[in-house]
Amino acid sequence: DILFGERDQKTMINSFSGNYNFNTNHGLTLTLRNYWTTVNYEDQLYTLEENGSLSANNSYTVEQTLVNDTNYSNPNINYDIWNFDLRYSWQFAPGSHLTALYRNQLFNHTDASEDGYLDSLDNLFKEPLKQRFSLKLVYYLDYNSLKKVLRKSNT
């Protein structure tokens, strides 16, 4: 069955960002971001009919929504994510950049949709920390200059 329900969704996004440029070619960026959302469904769920209309369905409740014929899942969610990004950028030639990024990330997804922001944040910081480091190199090739070099080498 395809189920529909009326829901109340609350979302809060907090972010902080700062840039520091050492000079015109070197810069450092710090970004902190917390995204938190909760979804609470009303108790009445509806079934999608063949003609596209909805009809009340009393065989499913929010507490016991059937998934895969045997497992039950609560559709209410509490989704919380925290990112900490530290980025260093170096412009070593016109149009060419080297960027190093370090990211910490925390993620939590539960059905504890009644938890408040501070309780959810406390549970989030109990999750394992995911860390990433990446390098990105963008090098600008001037086609006209390259064409001149190739012509000289062919003669």
Side-chain angles (χ1 to χ4, degrees), residues 1-153:
D1 289 338
I2 298 174
L3 299 177
F4 283 80
E6 187 175 336
R7 65 185 187 174
D8 181 25
Q9 180 177 354
K10 297 177 186 172
T11 301
M12 183 183 302
I13 302 171
N14 297 306
S15 63
F16 171 80
S17 182
N19 296 325
Y20 182 77
N21 293 321
F22 300 105
N23 56 39
T24 57
N25 297 325
H26 299 273
L28 195 62
T29 303
L30 172 70
T31 304
L32 300 167
R33 181 176 177 260
N34 176 235
Y35 177 88
W36 174 61
T37 189
T38 60
V39 175
N40 286 307
Y41 279 85
E42 297 293 327
D43 198 37
Q44 180 63 56
L45 296 176
Y46 302 90
T47 304
L48 180 64
E49 299 296 333
E50 293 281 332
N51 63 4
S53 65
L54 297 176
S55 64
N57 188 328
N58 295 324
S59 61
Y60 296 114
T61 64
V62 170
E63 287 77 26
Q64 289 195 330
T65 302
L66 185 61
V67 176
N68 298 335
D69 294 327
T70 56
N71 298 324
Y72 289 93
S73 174
N74 186 343
N76 294 333
I77 59 171
N78 182 338
Y79 177 85
D80 209 348
I81 192 166
W82 172 274
N83 289 332
F84 168 89
D85 295 348
L86 183 61
R87 178 180 303 127
Y88 173 76
S89 183
W90 171 36
Q91 181 177 331
F92 57 89
S96 301
H97 296 270
L98 177 67
T99 303
L101 173 67
Y102 173 70
R103 171 175 278 179
N104 276 339
Q105 182 182 40
L106 294 169
F107 171 79
N108 193 19
H109 181 271
T110 66
D111 62 1
S113 60
E114 297 297 326
D115 284 356
Y117 178 74
L118 293 177
D119 291 333
S120 181
L121 196 61
D122 185 46
N123 291 332
L124 176 67
F125 282 108
K126 293 176 185 173
E127 294 296 315
L129 186 64
K130 296 176 184 168
Q131 300 177 355
R132 291 186 183 142
F133 181 76
S134 63
L135 285 173
K136 177 181 174 183
L137 175 65
V138 176
Y139 188 74
Y140 174 73
L141 291 174
D142 184 4
Y143 176 73
N144 290 324
S145 298
L146 186 62
K147 192 165 78 171
K148 288 176 188 176
V149 170
L150 292 174
R151 272 193 218 157
K152 287 180 184 178
S153 66

